[in-house]
Amino acid sequence: MKVGVAADHGGFDLKERLREAIAGDDHEVADFGAYELDPGDDYPDYVAPLARAVASGEVERGIVICGSGVGACIAANKTPGVRAALVFDSFSAHQGVEDDDMNVICLGGRVTGFELALDLVRIFLGASFKGDERFRRRLAKISALEKEKRG
Ligand code: RB5
């Protein structure tokens, strides 16, 4: 699977380790940065390009990481077509894909250790959307929300 990764300084180390590990699992990994540890960088600068790549189909799934995972998740969900969630447990890592077609997983580099993060990512990447009518109906309602005019 083609997978994008992105992180700010809070998630940089975890991104580097996860990128290496999932490439070893035979995924094709596109790195959207950061490419070096910069304590002054801003997560939207890396997350938004990844989110656009997921929405366009350039990559199938995304992994975004900041210190808590919260900011990266908020930023990722601003791109229509992205369904990102902050995940801490294995159930959500697969059920979020199976029922909600989650296409971006968000992690906290200061919260979740490498081994658990790798388990969560592997579960996320191994899961598939079930496509039941009720799941599609709910996703259609989310797509409609994305089209609502603001302001
Ligand atoms: C950066 O210090 C930190 O605020 C950021 O990585 C993230 O935790 C935001 O949600």
Side-chain angles (χ1 to χ4, degrees):
M1 182 183 291
K2 192 158 183 194
V3 181
V5 295
D8 73 351
H9 56 281
F12 183 77
D13 289 340
L14 183 56
K15 172 180 74 74
E16 294 294 293
R17 295 184 70 185
L18 287 175
R19 187 191 61 211
E20 201 170 310
I22 61 177
D25 288 345
D26 272 349
H27 292 291
E28 188 184 340
V29 187
D31 191 341
F32 290 81
Y35 304 114
E36 60 185 8
L37 181 59
D38 172 3
D41 68 8
D42 301 323
Y43 55 81
D45 295 335
Y46 311 111
V47 171
L50 179 148
R52 291 184 198 113
V54 170
S56 72
E58 180 188 329
V59 299
E60 205 171 324
R61 302 262 176 99
I63 301 163
V64 298
I65 313 169
C66 63
S68 64
V70 171
C73 199
I74 291 170
N77 276 311
K78 294 298 176 189
T79 299
V82 166
R83 292 172 294 278
L86 181 53
V87 171
F88 302 100
D89 65 279
S90 58
F91 176 76
S92 303
H94 65 83
Q95 200 245 21
V97 178
E98 291 161 355
D99 292 16
D100 310 312
D101 207 11
M102 172 172 65
N103 50 18
V104 173
I105 190 170
C106 311
L107 298 166
R110 295 174 180 148
V111 180
T112 303
F114 171 70
E115 295 297 343
L116 175 57
L118 182 57
D119 276 353
L120 296 174
V121 163
R122 283 178 169 152
I123 291 166
F124 164 66
L125 296 178
S128 303
F129 179 51
K130 285 180 179 165
D132 299 24
E133 191 281 330
R134 67 186 189 285
F135 300 145
R136 292 187 184 280
R137 184 179 70 233
R138 291 162 192 159
L139 292 175
K141 291 181 181 184
I142 292 171
S143 296
L145 290 174
E146 289 176 338
K147 294 185 181 89
E148 272 182 9
K149 285 209 172 103
R150 298 203 177 85

